[in-house]
Amino acid sequence: MFPSDYLLQTPSIEDMDDMLLNGTCNVIASMKFFINQKEPLIEGERNGTFVFGKSLLSKEPFAIATRNDDREFSDVVNRIIETILYEQGQKEPMLCQNQSVPTPRDVLDLNWTNSVHCVGNYTEIFGDIGTLNPLNENASGSLYATPFGNLGDSTINNASSKDMLPRIRKNESFSCGVAVPDNFNGNITGSDRLVCMSVEYCRTLAAALHNGDPETTFLSFPEADSNSFIALANKTIDVLVGGRIEPRYNFKQSPSLDGVHFSTPYYYGNESTDEVGVYAIATREDDALFSSFVNTVVLATIYAQENGINSTDMLEMPLVSSFGSDVSWALRDAVAYSGNYDAIYAECFGRNVDRASRGRNRVNEILAVEQPKACSK
């Protein structure tokens, strides 16, 4: 609408505020959280000098970044964020517990709720949490593909032949463990519903790994049996699907059972209780590159759904060189096999299932929340 020379990039939030207040800019755009914290802007809205817009056009998420050479510390950070969100929905506040003893050396002994009871829950920390950020209490769509950015911007050059990604591609074999209900006695490759979803995500991952070939070796495990995580730890299987995300497995359980990494969820249960089952692909934590690849493939099915891409127009999927130039077509191969998220869901739950009845297993279609730093003059 306006020529590009009408837009000014500001060096900081403070400079942007000053440029609005002194008339250099007629409009500023930034994160709602920051704008709402500026008293001159709040006062300007009260007296009619400024108007806060209500159209939120961006949905890039914000997160805490950690190095990938210490996955346990990354898991601690994630667990604290999860605790802050979980406590948001609890009705009975609990008191901050001052530690009278040294901080535990074992991560499993940490008091996670102190992060909330001594600081605050999500709303208490951030105040106005916007449109996308409230807790999902009404079973609306929970599927969201984190924006990919430029996946072809760089190539990982330090992957060795011992790493999972090049090893699986060289061996041309891929082993997937599937957790099934304890009373399950069928054939996992001929199943429907959640078991089918798990199997299809394994095959989609295999297609991404092997230039479109979905061939996969399957091993099944009772869902309540920890042997599935032992099999993952001792490399009997390459990934584990079909089980709930259990935060305790993020951390080392014993000398023979290291922590695991859970991908973005691909299925949410429909339980009416607080303990909703959340299902994802589990990988070992000793190979951050492979875990990232697996997560990216799961996100690709959701991204394809968000952007109306299916198997026939898989060329609309981005190329990705971040994991090596030999797998640059990985996301295209994945979508060429499986299609988008709705296609996988329809394959497993039936094509006549009403989207509204799918609960959280829908793409989150609420428009975005945040704006980058910029102003127009």
Side-chain angles (χ1 to χ4, degrees):
M1 237 184 125
F2 297 101
S4 59
D5 56 0
Y6 276 60
L7 300 177
L8 297 177
Q9 183 74 31
T10 60
S12 70
I13 292 288
E14 289 71 22
D15 288 330
M16 181 179 65
D17 296 343
D18 291 340
M19 293 170 75
L20 178 67
L21 294 171
N22 65 25
T24 302
C25 291
N26 297 319
V27 177
I28 63 171
S30 183
M31 293 177 290
K32 187 176 180 181
F33 171 75
F34 287 120
I35 292 178
N36 285 350
Q37 303 302 310
K38 302 298 182 179
E39 186 57 39
L41 302 183
I42 296 172
E43 180 60 31
E45 184 188 31
R46 291 196 194 105
N47 62 33
T49 304
F50 304 128
V51 175
F52 285 4
K54 296 181 180 179
S55 296
L56 305 174
L57 304 176
S58 170
K59 62 177 183 178
E60 284 72 17
F62 289 80
I64 298 175
T66 58
R67 294 184 297 275
N68 64 12
D69 59 357
D70 189 341
R71 297 305 293 269
E72 183 176 75
F73 179 69
S74 298
D75 289 333
V76 168
V77 172
N78 285 329
R79 183 67 179 272
I80 291 171
I81 299 298
E82 291 165 359
T83 302
I84 290 172
L85 293 171
Y86 177 79
E87 291 293 326
Q88 174 70 21
Q90 304 308 300
K91 296 179 180 178
E92 297 295 332
M94 299 171 67
L95 298 176
C96 175
Q97 300 175 12
N98 293 322
Q99 297 290 343
S100 58
V101 295
T103 301
R105 291 185 176 274
D106 191 331
V107 67
L108 295 175
D109 294 328
L110 291 173
N111 184 350
W112 303 105
T113 54
N114 260 356
S115 60
V116 176
H117 307 148
C118 300
V119 180
N121 62 31
Y122 189 72
T123 301
E124 290 170 335
I125 293 173
F126 289 102
D128 183 357
I129 56 178
T131 305
L132 266 179
N133 293 308
L135 290 181
N136 186 344
E137 296 176 339
N138 297 315
S140 59
S142 292
L143 301 174
Y144 170 74
T146 306
F148 286 135
N150 187 356
L151 292 174
D153 199 29
S154 61
T155 300
I156 302 297
N157 294 316
N158 58 350
S160 72
S161 59
K162 296 181 180 180
D163 290 332
M164 286 280 292
L165 192 56
R167 182 176 62 80
I168 290 174
R169 284 182 53 77
K170 180 180 179 180
N171 295 340
E172 297 184 353
S173 64
F174 176 59
S175 178
C176 182
V178 183
V180 298
D182 292 341
N183 58 355
F184 181 85
N185 58 8
N187 181 355
I188 59 174
T189 58
S191 300
D192 60 3
R193 305 182 68 80
L194 176 57
V195 175
C196 172
M197 288 279 288
S198 301
V199 167
E200 284 304 298
Y201 266 97
C202 280
R203 287 172 169 161
T204 301
L205 184 54
L209 287 163
H210 293 142
N211 304 322
D213 183 358
E215 183 66 28
T216 306
T217 300
F218 292 102
L219 293 175
S220 63
F221 301 88
E223 185 177 12
D225 192 341
S226 63
N227 284 333
S228 58
F229 287 96
I230 295 174
L232 182 63
N234 64 25
K235 301 184 179 180
T236 300
I237 55 178
D238 297 316
V239 300
L240 174 64
V241 299
R244 296 186 181 207
I245 292 179
E246 296 188 48
R248 65 191 176 100
Y249 283 114
N250 282 135
F251 306 105
K252 188 171 185 174
Q253 302 287 307
S254 69
S256 61
L257 189 57
D258 288 330
V260 303
H261 178 268
F262 292 102
S263 72
T264 294
Y266 62 83
Y267 184 80
Y268 294 84
N270 58 2
E271 297 89 341
S272 59
T273 65
D274 289 338
E275 300 298 327
V276 174
V278 182
Y279 299 82
I281 302 180
T283 54
R284 292 185 290 276
E285 279 198 339
D286 60 358
D287 194 326
L289 183 66
F290 183 67
S291 295
S292 180
F293 180 85
V294 170
N295 188 62
T296 302
V297 171
V298 175
L299 288 172
T301 64
I302 303 172
Y303 173 91
Q305 183 63 43
E306 287 183 341
N307 291 276
I309 301 171
N310 54 43
S311 57
T312 59
D313 50 13
M314 56 82 175
L315 291 177
E316 297 297 319
M317 293 296 293
L319 292 170
V320 48
S321 62
S322 302
F323 303 103
S325 58
D326 59 332
V327 288
S328 61
W329 273 57
L331 305 189
R332 294 180 175 183
D333 289 331
V335 172
Y337 166 75
S338 67
N340 54 38
Y341 183 87
D342 276 8
I344 300 174
Y345 193 95
E347 177 71 22
C348 297
F349 285 84
R351 301 188 181 279
N352 297 322
V353 177
D354 180 17
R355 291 188 78 250
S357 67
R358 286 165 43 178
R360 295 173 174 84
N361 298 301
R362 294 172 287 154
V363 168
N364 191 315
E365 296 174 344
I366 300 174
L367 287 178
V369 288
E370 306 290 0
Q371 281 276 60
K373 292 199 308 268
C375 82
S376 66
K377 50 181 181 174

